Amino acid sequence: MQNYQTQIQSSSKKFLDELIDFLSFPSISADSQYKEAVTQTAHWLEEKLQALAMDEVKVFPTSGHPIVYASKTVDPEAPTVLIYGHYDVQPPDPLDLWDSDPFTPVIKDEKIYARGACDDKGQVYMHLKALEILNQNGPLPCNVKFLIEGEEEVGSEGLPDFVKNHKELLEADLMLISDTSMLANDTPSITVGLRGMAYMEVHITGPNRDLHSGVYGGAVDNPINVLCEMIAHLKDKDGRITIPGFYDQVYNLSQSERDDLGRAPFHEASFLNDLGIGAAKGEKGYSIPELKSIRPTLDVNGIWGGYTGEGSKTVLPSQAHAKISMRLVPNQNSEKIAELFTEYLQRIAPPTVQIEIINHHGGEAAVTSTDSIGYQAASKAFEKAFGKPPIPTREGGSIPIVALFQQELGLDTILMGFGLNSDNIHSPNEHYGLFNYFKGIETIAHFHEILAEMKRS
């Protein structure tokens, strides 16, 4: 088995310079003014994949942002790995909380700071560099395919149709994703469970125009007050979500399963100190790690209405708005949950206002087996690179395409993430450790080598 550390070290400046170029593209999929930048990012990736001497590299248009596809077949008898990632990023707002420009990458304290550094540009680019290292040692040990999309951060709207229409193109033995985290740099882990998602938007309209709060206040219902009251009704005092039927299909882990998850190290004081909070809060009866991974949630992601500018304006607003997401666990269906959410809010809305609810996007929870050859190869690869076996963990985030690929292509997914929970993904000052970037390249190279060996034996 090769030792790739020396090769990676000798190429480290090149690998880092390329990542800086990648991170410099403002590939914000949620904002239409960046559509050209998103497309430019796709074509930049196309060039980098072509440089790896792939058999085929193609940029596919979709109803939204393009999908970048590539494939390389070295041996029909070798396993085929479909590598998934995304090149789009979250909006960087609020910009005033960044210490540097989000699209001018800065290296500080052995970390690279930029939007997308960890989620997911830094992690997806590790796979290209791992193949570059493998190419230096002869033919690739596995056949590989890449599917890198530009809409993950807005719900992967164009991906389901692409997958359904290109099943033959995407045939593989397993899917490999690096878009998750590990416990710590000295405690490697592999994610075996992800939550699903239902993302909603609520609009409350009262009077047909903004009103003078002195002239009309007390006689007309305030849409902001109404919205706040409705949101307050979505949870009870024990942190349970009150939507009727919400928990009907929730998969409840057995005590032994909860005990297994509890083996992962967790320090509550460090957790609270890192976030600058005095105490945690969540559904009664569950530990903090369980609340973050195996239980469903409901959170307001944004709320607005009325006057928020400088100084004062005594206005009774005509409208109020909120964005609300629900993280879902196995057996919960995102469409059904969206329906239950809509029905409940429509029922509790008072007759003094009108309500409109938009179902933006959703996806299902996913759990992967630790018994598969892919997981075993990943475990051995982590052990080779880190010197200790990884701990299987469940994460609270969502990657809806995991369930999609299982349903449409029958593929198991291996989630080899190298980020840390402290990397500020989706937040100002997002960053990714240089250790994690280079160690990820090494581990991925080992994975391909080990998977091929296990398939032959």
Side-chain angles (χ1 to χ4, degrees), residues 23-82:
L23 294 170
S24 299
F25 288 96
S27 51
I28 306 168
S29 55
D31 192 333
S32 60
Q33 70 174 311
Y34 294 97
K35 183 175 177 62
E36 183 178 351
V38 176
T39 301
Q40 290 173 344
T41 313
H43 288 293
W44 184 91
L45 270 175
E46 178 187 25
E47 293 177 4
K48 296 303 178 184
L49 287 163
Q50 288 170 339
L52 294 173
M54 306 295 284
D55 295 335
E56 179 183 8
V57 181
K58 186 172 182 180
V59 175
F60 286 88
T62 72
S63 57
H65 299 299
I67 286 172
V68 183
Y69 172 84
S71 67
K72 177 75 172 181
T73 301
V74 292
D75 181 356
E77 299 301 317
T80 299
V81 180
L82 175 60

Side-chain angles (χ1 to χ4, degrees), residues 2-310:
Q2 295 284 343
N3 184 336
Y4 300 112
Q5 292 181 1
T6 301
Q7 288 176 267
I8 293 171
Q9 186 175 7
S10 65
S11 300
S12 61
K13 184 179 185 306
K14 173 180 178 290
F15 289 0
L16 195 54
D17 287 346
E18 291 177 7
L19 178 58
I20 288 172
D21 288 345
F22 192 18
L23 294 170
S24 299
F25 288 96
S27 51
I28 306 168
S29 55
D31 192 333
S32 60
Q33 70 174 311
Y34 294 97
K35 183 175 177 62
E36 183 178 351
V38 176
T39 301
Q40 290 173 344
T41 313
H43 288 293
W44 184 91
L45 270 175
E46 178 187 25
E47 293 177 4
K48 296 303 178 184
L49 287 163
Q50 288 170 339
L52 294 173
M54 306 295 284
D55 295 335
E56 179 183 8
V57 181
K58 186 172 182 180
V59 175
F60 286 88
T62 72
S63 57
H65 299 299
I67 286 172
V68 183
Y69 172 84
S71 67
K72 177 75 172 181
T73 301
V74 292
D75 181 356
E77 299 301 317
T80 299
V81 180
L82 175 60
I83 299 164
Y84 166 86
H86 64 93
Y87 63 86
D88 66 318
V89 300
Q90 283 274 331
D93 309 75
L95 292 172
D96 60 332
L97 295 184
W98 283 80
D99 295 333
S100 55
D101 184 274
F103 296 106
T104 304
V106 171
I107 297 175
K108 181 176 62 176
D109 301 326
E110 293 300 304
K111 303 178 183 70
I112 185 165
Y113 286 78
R115 172 57 88 226
C118 178
D119 182 22
D120 180 39
K121 287 180 175 178
Q123 297 214 64
V124 76
Y125 204 63
M126 297 183 306
H127 290 273
L128 278 74
K129 299 300 97 182
L131 292 196
E132 184 171 326
I133 291 294
L134 289 167
N135 277 332
Q136 296 172 9
N137 295 280
L140 296 177
C142 296
N143 308 314
V144 295
K145 296 180 179 181
F146 281 91
L147 174 60
I148 308 176
E149 66 157 317
E151 296 185 300
E152 195 274 346
E153 299 292 8
V154 290
S156 301
E157 294 181 3
L159 190 62
D161 285 342
F162 180 85
V163 172
K164 292 172 185 176
N165 295 330
H166 297 87
K167 289 185 178 181
E168 185 174 342
L169 200 68
L170 301 173
E171 285 182 353
D173 293 291
L174 59 87
M175 187 163 69
L176 181 62
I177 300 177
S178 296
D179 194 13
T180 51
S181 62
M182 58 183 186
L183 291 170
N185 285 350
D186 60 356
T187 310
S189 58
I190 299 177
T191 301
V192 297
L194 293 165
R195 289 191 288 199
M197 161 85 86
Y199 194 97
M200 316 296 292
E201 185 168 328
V202 181
H203 301 281
I204 302 294
T205 301
N208 58 12
R209 62 188 186 277
D210 286 356
L211 304 176
H212 188 296
S213 65
V215 175
Y216 292 95
V220 177
D221 218 348
N222 185 320
I224 295 179
N225 294 351
V226 171
L227 179 58
C228 290
E229 290 171 3
M230 292 173 66
I231 290 172
H233 276 89
L234 291 173
K235 287 184 181 179
D236 66 18
K237 60 181 179 61
D238 291 327
R240 295 268 297 183
I241 296 162
T242 57
I243 298 171
F246 184 87
Y247 291 97
D248 286 358
Q249 303 302 319
V250 166
Y251 174 76
N252 293 296
L253 272 67
S254 66
Q255 189 57 52
S256 62
E257 289 175 307
R258 292 175 68 179
D259 290 342
D260 286 342
L261 290 176
R263 291 207 304 267
F266 176 76
H267 304 286
E268 182 173 351
S270 297
F271 173 82
L272 299 176
N273 182 65
D274 178 59
L275 300 179
I277 58 177
K281 182 174 176 60
E283 185 182 356
K284 186 176 180 181
Y286 294 91
S287 67
I288 294 174
E290 289 173 336
L291 292 170
K292 298 191 310 109
S293 61
I294 65 170
R295 297 303 294 169
T297 69
L298 185 151
D299 286 293
V300 179
N301 304 125
I303 187 167
W304 68 100
Y307 180 71
T308 58
E310 185 177 353

Side-chain angles (χ1 to χ4, degrees), residues 275-451:
L275 300 179
I277 58 177
K281 182 174 176 60
E283 185 182 356
K284 186 176 180 181
Y286 294 91
S287 67
I288 294 174
E290 289 173 336
L291 292 170
K292 298 191 310 109
S293 61
I294 65 170
R295 297 303 294 169
T297 69
L298 185 151
D299 286 293
V300 179
N301 304 125
I303 187 167
W304 68 100
Y307 180 71
T308 58
E310 185 177 353
S312 63
K313 181 182 182 182
T314 53
V315 61
L316 193 160
S318 171
Q319 295 184 337
H321 318 268
K323 294 179 184 287
I324 298 174
S325 66
M326 292 164 284
R327 299 286 176 170
L328 312 177
V329 297
N331 293 351
Q332 285 185 299
N333 177 271
S334 60
E335 287 296 325
K336 179 62 176 177
I337 292 298
E339 291 175 8
L340 294 175
F341 174 91
T342 300
E343 291 170 1
Y344 183 57
L345 282 193
Q346 287 174 336
R347 180 162 62 82
I348 66 173
T352 54
V353 298
Q354 299 174 23
I355 182 169
E356 178 190 6
I357 301 173
I358 300 170
N359 179 4
H360 273 294
H361 59 80
E364 313 315 318
V367 178
T368 60
S369 171
T370 59
D371 296 326
S372 69
I373 184 174
Y375 180 88
Q376 295 301 321
S379 181
K380 292 177 184 295
F382 269 97
E383 187 168 5
K384 173 67 177 175
F386 285 82
K388 61 177 69 173
I391 297 171
T393 60
R394 297 195 185 207
E395 283 200 12
S398 305
I399 309 179
I401 53 88
V402 173
L404 171 69
F405 274 77
Q406 175 62 49
Q407 177 182 337
E408 295 295 335
L409 302 176
L411 293 182
D412 289 330
T413 298
I414 307 304
L415 296 163
M416 291 178 62
F418 297 89
L420 300 174
N421 287 337
S422 57
D423 286 338
N424 287 7
I425 63 171
H426 293 201
S427 299
N429 299 313
E430 178 181 352
H431 54 271
Y432 192 39
L434 302 187
F435 169 87
N436 306 71
Y437 178 55
F438 294 122
K439 186 60 73 172
I441 295 170
E442 178 189 350
T443 308
I444 292 164
H446 286 312
F447 171 80
H448 287 279
E449 188 178 36
I450 293 169
L451 179 65

